[in-house]
Amino acid sequence: MVEQGSILLRRMEICVAEAEKRSGKNAVNMQETFTVYLIETRPMDAVTEGQNPAPDSLWRRYSEFELLRNYLIVTYPYIVVPPLPEKRAEFVWHKLSADNMDPDFVERRRIGLENFLLRVASHPVLSNDKILCHFLTEEHGWKEAVCETGFHAKSDSRLRALSATFRVRNPDKRFMEMKHYSDELQSHTSQLLRARARVADRLYGVYKVHGNYGRVFSEWSAVEKEMGDGLQSGGHHMDAYAASIDDILEEEEHYADQLKEYLSYAEALRAVCRKHELNQFELEMASHDLISKKQQREELATGIVRTFSFKGMTNKIFGQEAPEQREARLKLLEELIAEGEESVKEKTVECEEHVEQAWVDMQRFKEQKDKDLREALISYAVMQISMCKKGIQVWSNAKECFLKM
Amino acid sequence: MSEQTVPADLPEHMLDLDEDDDLEVFSKNTSLVDGNPVPNSPGSMVNQYRLEEDDEQQHDANAKDLFITVDNPESHVTAIETYILYSVVTKTTRSEFDSCEYEVRRRYQDFLWLRSKLEENHPTLIIHPLPEKFVMKGMMDRFNSDFVESRRKSLHHFLVKISEHPILSYSEHLKVFLTAQDLTPHKRQGTSFLSWMGETMRSVANSVRGLRSRPEEVVRMQEYVEDFSSKISCVDKVAQRIIKEQREYLEELKQYGPIYAQWAGLEEDLADPLRGVAGCVEQCRKESEEQIQHLSGELVPVLHEYVLCAETLKAVLRRRDNIQAEFEAKDEILATKKVDQEAMRDEVDALADRVELANNALKGDWSHWKNSMRADLKSAFISTAEKNVDYYEKCLAVWEAFLLTQKADGGERREDV
């Protein structure tokens, strides 16, 4: 059995090794084709000892990953939960397939799913989750186990969350700043992804048109005596140049994927902030409710009406009620007040704990983000350098050929 | 002027009549005894008869002694019109010239005049084309500086080609063009050729029947010209398309770079690398702009000149055909009709000589032209390849510099921890 308290990834090697197409009936009993991914795990101590045991493996499809993530979001609302790779291909430049069955898309998704599992399994809090462990190690019965946790019931309704956002009075300023940051991060990354796709599209056009040189030079060389060889071989390099853009842009997609991950992370960050708003709002509501009940008790006890109340009005119009009724009402109020005080206590604790834990995780997230994105930018620079080197090579070769014209 | 019927032979681009009212209508001077101000010198006639590879190489081996430049375009305003005048500066050691340095002012029309005179006198020599007249009616700006500069370059190139030509560089018309302060009196002499027009038209009509057979070499030339024409037009189109695609790429880059900078404003530790990338993208964009300038300033003009050359070659071959057709027509009359045999035979012999002269002139000039074409295109392609290498090298340096700054920062950070 898996030990508690130490990060899962240190104990277990995880990878998403393969992808395969399957056919089956879906929820509305229609035939569909989908992709499943092979998750392989091996105990880390066996690996480090140099043994090479066969990995345990099981197949999961994307929707199961989604289910796992939804469970984690509800169960750990103070954690910025790592995102999944995109459900549908977005920010696509024209030659790139938007088809979910396209092999390049499936490959990138495989990498993205592996990345998700690695992030979750190396998280100080999430990695201890039993459902996660179950997901990785036992193929059957997992869905039932997740549903049994009853996490569906715990999830907050959208409407409540939205209402809280508008009506909360005193949210933690740091969380409001963080929420604002998440909005900005989302905006900038999506702008960047869109612009990058357009640039990729144009660059593709530039490279591909050079292929026409190849074709014309080849035809032309047939009618020239001295120039022929130089033209022909120069033309071959033009063809090579035109062809080189496919690999260059495919590699750049990995950079785009890194940006997309943080586009999705921004959403996860915002979710944590909204949870705080909800907690704070409910605390405020509960406190407010408690105060108004205490006021009612005071009015009832002293007979002095401080604030306008319907009861007060009816008392004036219809006369005071009997002392027994008053006693009954007072007793009820006392009970409600006691409950209310408990409720306020609980909610205060809940809110404070959430703030404390979330703040820790948001700091962790910030450090991770800075490190990851910096590496992504560096890898982007490396890609550009590689592209330049290829360009230098091709055009130098072409020049050599032209010199022979 | 526009009433005159124009020979079907004319290259199409020469038919556009716009602001030049006194556009010269080209007559085909079909007689050996032409109206040249000065008859061909014996030396050049020898060249025409025996221009083979050896002679040409010998000529090329001689040091170049005629240097011409075209620059300094300036607007010139008169009551009737406004046009551009270019300075044509000549430096030479040739004895035919009285002085060794000349500077004159010439307008585009004057170049047209020169070329038409050269064509008249050497109908089967390959004369480098001039840049086209301004055809785009929509655009008002004939005085747009890019247009003027590209025209200046083409005019310059035209004169350089003429000056390097073993026969054309000795033309009297060229000398007049380069030296006369006022070209107008010389231009007026052209009108005497209008009287030849009628005869030319009749002979063209006569030759419609078609040629008996072309010399084998000429057939090969014709096939080559067809192929060359289509290939060079294609290359020209490809080059222009590349420029268009590249401009659109630049437009997107303009939007792309600043997004990194904007994002940097939001971040702390990440701001530095983000700004770094923004800077790199911007610098690469600048380099790309320069590369486009080079393409449109160096490669496209050369390609375009050779597209025009292809048309020139077609015209030359047509003229050669006409010369042969005229001879064959008269020859047939001699054989079949009852005419004055003796007078006719002289005429036919003269025409036969003319055919041979034309063929030899063309044959000799053909290899000169091919070498010249090969040199020009080779140099243009090499220059383009070099510029592209240069572009990628500069971009490479930009990104490597960025990486260096990041490695340095990374090192510091590790030390803090």
Side-chain angles (χ1 to χ4, degrees):
Chain A
M1 253 337 284
V2 169
E3 303 160 38
Q4 287 284 11
S6 56
I7 293 180
L8 186 64
L9 199 59
R10 292 216 193 96
R11 290 172 276 126
M12 186 192 281
E13 194 181 71
I14 306 170
C15 79
V16 177
E18 282 168 40
E20 242 180 50
K21 280 209 190 107
R22 295 278 168 82
S23 278
K25 293 263 160 97
N26 70 1
V28 288
N29 215 30
M30 290 184 61
Q31 196 71 10
E32 62 166 4
T33 321
F34 53 88
T35 314
V36 287
Y37 300 86
L38 185 68
I39 302 177
E40 285 181 349
T41 51
R42 285 196 300 184
M44 194 56 106
D45 39 22
V47 174
T48 49
E49 276 165 29
Q51 299 165 20
N52 206 10
D56 296 319
S57 64
L58 45 82
W59 296 93
R60 295 260 185 243
R61 55 185 292 194
Y62 185 83
S63 56
E64 291 176 274
F65 280 85
E66 278 184 306
L67 185 58
L68 172 65
R69 185 165 188 268
N70 287 339
Y71 160 79
L72 290 172
I73 289 173
V74 171
T75 313
Y76 303 92
Y78 50 92
I79 298 292
V80 182
V81 176
L84 288 171
E86 56 189 359
K87 199 169 169 74
R88 260 166 292 277
E90 284 181 41
F91 304 108
V92 175
W93 57 277
H94 92 280
K95 264 297 175 174
L96 202 63
S97 176
D99 174 19
N100 278 12
M101 295 305 244
D102 175 74
D104 285 333
F105 179 81
V106 168
E107 172 59 16
R108 284 203 309 278
R109 180 177 266 193
R110 182 195 67 75
I111 294 172
L113 290 173
E114 186 177 279
N115 189 47
F116 167 75
L117 288 178
L118 292 175
R119 286 213 192 274
V120 170
S122 59
H123 191 281
V125 173
L126 297 175
S127 60
N128 293 316
D129 189 274
K130 291 235 171 48
I131 295 288
L132 168 68
C133 193
H134 193 159
F135 179 89
L136 292 169
T137 53
E138 282 165 66
E139 185 157 351
H140 304 291
W142 177 75
K143 266 201 191 140
E144 292 75 24
V146 180
C147 293
E148 263 168 40
T149 62
F151 80 93
H152 285 298
K154 281 190 240 161
S155 75
D156 303 317
S157 87
R158 283 255 166 81
L159 208 54
R160 260 174 69 209
L162 202 59
S163 170
T165 304
F166 285 124
R167 293 163 62 191
V168 69
R169 296 251 182 92
N170 259 341
D172 187 310
K173 275 212 174 59
R174 302 171 300 171
F175 279 68
M176 290 307 95
E177 278 167 17
M178 201 52 102
K179 189 166 148 208
H180 178 74
Y181 172 79
S182 75
D183 288 336
E184 293 282 301
L185 181 65
Q186 187 167 33
S187 159
H188 285 115
T189 45
S190 64
Q191 265 186 298
L192 194 58
L193 282 163
R194 222 171 296 130
R196 190 212 70 88
R198 281 201 295 262
V199 167
D201 208 27
R202 288 297 170 201
L203 192 62
Y204 184 81
V206 171
Y207 271 72
K208 286 301 179 190
V209 177
H210 281 81
N212 288 313
Y213 272 151
R215 189 182 46 82
V216 180
F217 283 6
S218 178
E219 291 168 9
W220 186 4
S221 67
V223 296
E224 296 289 348
K225 288 202 201 92
E226 294 124 339
M227 275 167 62
D229 288 339
L231 275 178
Q232 173 93 312
S233 49
H236 287 323
H237 291 296
M238 294 298 96
D239 285 332
Y241 182 71
S244 68
I245 192 68
D246 294 304
D247 284 344
I248 288 168
L249 288 179
E250 180 56 40
E251 229 201 302
E252 231 183 73
E253 278 310 304
H254 294 293
Y255 170 68
D257 284 340
Q258 287 174 295
L259 293 176
K260 282 176 192 171
E261 193 190 12
Y262 276 90
L263 176 61
S264 303
Y265 253 128
E267 182 71 53
L269 182 61
R270 190 179 23 252
V272 171
C273 295
R274 277 212 292 258
K275 181 66 180 176
H276 165 74
E277 282 177 331
L278 188 60
N279 287 343
Q280 176 69 15
F281 175 67
E282 290 191 338
L283 174 59
E284 286 171 6
M285 292 276 285
S287 303
H288 184 81
D289 193 60
L290 183 63
I291 288 170
S292 95
K293 289 216 163 36
K294 283 185 176 168
Q295 264 179 353
Q296 279 181 34
R297 179 180 60 184
E298 203 187 311
E299 284 165 23
L300 218 51
T302 61
I304 299 168
V305 180
R306 280 189 211 286
T307 55
F308 177 81
S309 75
F310 190 62
K311 201 73 182 110
M313 279 303 298
T314 51
N315 278 346
K316 284 222 152 62
I317 298 167
F318 298 111
Q320 292 269 18
E321 53 191 347
E324 303 87 43
Q325 281 175 314
R326 247 186 64 200
E327 283 302 321
R329 278 208 300 128
L330 214 58
K331 201 167 158 224
L332 184 62
L333 258 178
E334 293 286 357
E335 276 171 31
L336 287 174
I337 285 169
E339 272 175 31
E341 275 176 341
E342 267 310 304
S343 175
V344 167
K345 248 190 233 147
E346 271 173 31
K347 287 196 163 32
T348 308
V349 166
E350 196 184 327
C351 195
E352 280 172 4
E353 269 180 11
H354 180 272
V355 165
E356 204 182 297
Q357 289 169 314
W359 187 248
V360 167
D361 200 54
M362 291 197 293
Q363 294 313 302
R364 182 205 61 78
F365 167 74
K366 179 178 179 298
E367 266 183 50
Q368 175 199 293
K369 168 202 58 120
D370 285 342
K371 178 170 167 290
D372 286 349
L373 287 175
R374 193 162 157 274
E375 271 170 29
L377 291 171
I378 288 173
S379 81
Y380 182 69
V382 169
M383 283 178 213
Q384 299 306 303
I385 286 172
S386 156
M387 182 170 87
C388 289
K389 283 190 177 152
K390 279 188 193 152
I392 290 170
Q393 179 78 322
V394 164
W395 286 103
S396 300
N397 290 342
K399 179 183 159 185
E400 288 307 309
C401 296
F402 295 144
L403 280 168
K404 295 197 198 111
M405 266 170 70
Chain B
M1 265 321 260
S2 51
E3 298 306 299
Q4 304 222 346
T5 45
V6 178
D9 171 49
L10 280 186
E12 269 168 38
H13 67 276
M14 299 289 197
L15 291 177
D16 291 320
L17 306 166
D18 56 345
E19 74 275 10
D20 293 1
D21 279 316
D22 54 333
L23 173 67
E24 223 69 66
V25 178
F26 308 119
S27 68
K28 294 198 310 302
N29 181 9
T30 58
S31 163
L32 202 72
V33 182
D34 55 28
N36 252 349
V38 171
N40 291 341
S41 66
S44 72
M45 277 179 81
V46 166
N47 277 343
Q48 279 188 326
Y49 273 92
R50 280 200 261 109
L51 195 63
E52 291 166 15
E53 284 277 354
D54 297 340
D55 284 339
E56 196 186 310
Q57 276 165 10
Q58 194 177 44
H59 173 88
D60 284 356
N62 296 338
K64 189 170 160 178
D65 55 3
L66 179 63
F67 296 89
I68 314 177
T69 59
V70 177
D71 63 45
N72 195 23
E74 265 174 20
S75 257
H76 185 83
V77 184
T78 68
I80 317 164
E81 53 178 345
T82 310
Y83 52 82
I84 305 274
L85 278 176
Y86 302 86
S87 288
V88 178
V89 174
T90 310
K91 293 195 172 85
T92 180
T93 54
R94 287 189 187 179
S95 48
E96 298 87 40
F97 290 82
D98 295 330
S99 161
C100 55
E101 204 171 312
Y102 293 89
E103 181 170 344
V104 292
R105 307 284 285 159
R106 294 282 177 256
R107 61 184 291 192
Y108 178 74
Q109 265 182 33
D110 300 334
F111 285 82
L112 282 180
W113 169 85
L114 172 62
R115 191 172 186 279
S116 76
K117 283 276 163 270
L118 291 173
E119 267 191 331
E120 269 177 42
N121 295 127
H122 310 278
T124 57
L125 287 189
I126 303 164
I127 304 170
H128 202 72
L130 282 171
E132 288 144 314
K133 277 189 189 289
F134 201 77
V135 192
M136 293 155 82
K137 294 286 155 68
M139 279 169 66
M140 290 211 333
D141 213 356
R142 277 183 294 133
F143 308 102
N144 163 278
S145 59
D146 284 341
F147 172 75
V148 169
E149 173 56 18
S150 87
R151 178 174 267 197
R152 183 202 65 77
K153 271 197 196 138
S154 300
L155 294 175
H156 172 91
H157 205 223
F158 167 77
L159 285 180
V160 165
K161 288 287 181 198
I162 304 296
S163 72
E164 288 171 352
H165 195 284
I167 299 172
L168 296 173
S169 65
Y170 290 94
S171 154
E172 189 58 33
H173 293 289
L174 176 66
K175 181 161 164 242
V176 160
F177 177 89
L178 293 175
T179 59
Q181 283 305 317
D182 184 9
L183 208 52
T184 352
H186 300 274
K187 283 166 93 167
R188 278 201 207 104
Q189 286 186 12
T191 54
S192 66
F193 287 102
L194 291 174
S195 59
W196 294 99
M197 280 301 299
E199 202 177 298
T200 308
M201 291 316 302
R202 279 198 295 277
S203 58
V204 167
N206 286 338
S207 68
V208 162
R209 249 166 302 169
L211 300 176
R212 284 188 209 135
S213 71
R214 293 188 183 85
E216 203 187 297
E217 266 166 359
V218 173
V219 172
R220 274 187 271 133
M221 281 180 198
Q222 221 137 31
E223 284 167 3
Y224 174 81
V225 169
E226 283 307 312
D227 289 329
F228 176 79
S229 174
S230 87
K231 297 312 157 205
I232 196 71
S233 299
C234 198
V235 175
D236 180 49
K237 284 203 191 93
V238 171
Q240 295 200 37
R241 178 72 191 278
I242 288 176
I243 290 176
K244 175 171 173 286
E245 294 285 335
Q246 214 152 339
R247 286 222 170 97
E248 290 179 351
Y249 167 67
L250 273 190
E251 280 308 303
E252 297 299 344
L253 274 187
K254 252 191 220 148
Q255 312 288 330
Y256 179 58
I259 297 177
Y260 283 101
Q262 280 167 27
W263 184 1
L266 180 69
E267 298 284 344
E268 294 158 12
D269 283 343
L270 211 48
D272 178 60
L274 283 171
R275 273 195 208 106
V277 171
C280 289
V281 171
E282 175 58 23
Q283 265 187 285
C284 288
R285 188 191 64 79
K286 285 203 188 107
E287 296 299 339
S288 191
E289 256 189 47
E290 242 195 68
Q291 191 224 7
I292 295 178
Q293 298 284 56
H294 185 268
L295 274 181
S296 43
E298 305 294 330
L299 178 63
V300 168
V302 173
L303 292 175
H304 198 62
E305 267 177 36
Y306 278 94
V307 169
L308 294 177
C309 258
E311 296 305 308
T312 302
L313 289 172
K314 286 180 188 165
V316 166
L317 287 171
R318 271 196 300 264
R319 284 199 287 267
R320 191 221 67 87
D321 278 356
N322 285 338
I323 290 172
Q324 181 175 332
E326 262 191 69
F327 156 71
E328 286 177 357
K330 281 270 149 71
D331 196 39
E332 199 175 314
I333 292 173
L334 181 66
T336 59
K337 303 242 166 86
K338 286 212 179 295
V339 285
D340 179 357
Q341 287 287 326
E342 221 178 281
M344 202 47 165
R345 183 163 288 118
D346 282 344
E347 205 184 324
V348 167
D349 285 346
L351 286 174
D353 284 343
R354 218 171 117 239
V355 170
E356 199 180 320
L357 261 177
N359 285 342
N360 286 337
L362 174 58
K363 186 177 148 193
D365 213 24
W366 184 259
S367 46
H368 177 263
W369 178 83
K370 284 209 77 175
N371 280 333
S372 180
M373 179 270 290
R374 182 164 65 93
D376 282 350
L377 290 177
K378 174 175 167 176
S379 142
F381 290 145
I382 289 173
S383 158
T384 300
E386 278 175 349
K387 184 62 191 166
N388 285 344
V389 168
D390 181 54
Y391 160 73
Y392 279 114
E393 279 177 347
K394 291 210 179 94
C395 290
L396 179 69
V398 162
W399 286 105
E400 278 184 339
F402 167 74
L403 271 191
L404 236 58
T405 65
Q406 294 310 303
K407 284 213 171 80
D409 282 354
E412 281 167 25
R413 204 162 288 137
R414 258 174 257 129
E415 279 166 32
D416 288 347
V417 171

